[in-house]
Amino acid sequence: MRYLAAATVVAFVLGTAPVRADEEKVPLEKVPKAVLEAAKKRFPKAEVIGASKETEKDKTVYEVELKDAGKTIDVTLTPEGVITTIEKQIDAKELPKAVTDALEKKYAKATFKIIESVYSVKDGKEALDYYEVLLVTAAKKEIEVEILADGKIKHEEEKKSEK
C-alpha cells in the first residue's frame, strides 16, 4: 500500500513538476534532429514526452524527457546529439543497501518522492555517477540528496515549494 501511495505521489510530481528556472521548454519540432535521434536510438522503446534547453557557461545542452515502462528517463545531450548525462527513475528497492542505510540514518522516517540513478557518459560509455533522491522528511521538508553508491552524501539541497 505504501508503494502504491508513493507511486501516485511520484506520478503527480512528475506530471506537474515545473521546469527549472535556468531551463527553457522547447517544442519537440524545434529540438535539433540529432538530439532527438540520439535519444531515440539510445532508448528505442521509450516515448518522447518533452524537451528543454539550458545554456550554462556559454554551452547549450538539451534535455529530452522520455517515458519507458512508466518510468521517466531524462537524457542530456549536446546540440550535435552527443549524450552527456542520463537520469533514470528507479524504485527504492533498486537502491544499494549502503544508500538506503545512509538515507534512513540521516533522514529517519522520510518518504521518498522520486529516485533516480544518474549516469555520466564519456566517449559513449555510461558510468553510474550517483543517485538523486527527492525525499520528504518527518518535519515535512523536501530535500534533494545526491548520494554515491557507497552511501556517501555528495550534495543536499532543501527544495522550497512553489506556491
Side-chain angles (χ1 to χ4, degrees):
M1 186 68 179
R2 182 176 164 204
Y3 284 110
L4 179 60
T8 303
V9 169
V10 167
F12 174 77
V13 169
L14 291 176
T16 60
V19 173
R20 289 196 310 255
D22 55 349
E23 288 183 8
E24 163 193 342
K25 272 198 166 299
V26 179
L28 293 177
E29 60 273 6
K30 302 256 187 205
V31 176
K33 189 177 176 188
V35 169
L36 287 177
E37 284 178 353
K40 288 177 185 175
K41 181 179 178 188
R42 173 59 186 85
F43 297 99
K45 294 179 181 164
E47 175 190 357
V48 177
I49 302 297
S52 59
K53 179 169 91 169
E54 181 179 347
T55 303
E56 192 175 292
K57 298 178 188 165
D58 295 332
K59 289 193 178 187
T60 299
V61 294
Y62 288 86
E63 187 173 277
V64 177
E65 183 181 352
L66 306 160
K67 270 280 196 227
D68 188 15
K71 304 266 177 143
T72 301
I73 303 169
D74 293 324
V75 183
T76 305
L77 308 96
T78 67
E80 298 76 34
V82 176
I83 297 174
T84 59
T85 309
I86 297 171
E87 298 177 38
K88 293 182 187 176
Q89 182 185 354
I90 62 170
D91 294 322
K93 65 183 180 231
E94 296 174 68
L95 286 171
K97 184 172 177 7
V99 170
T100 305
D101 289 350
L103 290 171
E104 286 176 0
K105 182 178 177 187
K106 178 140 189 192
Y107 300 103
K109 298 186 174 131
T111 54
F112 299 158
K113 286 178 79 172
I114 302 172
I115 304 169
E116 296 178 319
S117 51
V118 181
Y119 296 83
S120 296
V121 183
K122 290 193 176 35
D123 300 322
K125 291 184 177 42
E126 297 173 19
L128 178 66
D129 197 359
Y130 57 91
Y131 294 94
E132 189 173 276
V133 180
L134 182 62
L135 53 82
V136 179
T137 67
K140 303 293 182 214
K141 289 185 179 179
E142 205 171 74
I143 311 269
E144 185 177 86
V145 181
E146 294 178 1
I147 185 166
L148 303 175
D150 65 4
K152 183 173 181 265
I153 293 177
K154 179 178 171 179
H155 180 75
E156 299 168 277
E157 180 180 334
E158 185 175 341
K159 296 292 185 182
K160 304 289 182 206
S161 58
E162 297 181 24
K163 292 184 179 180

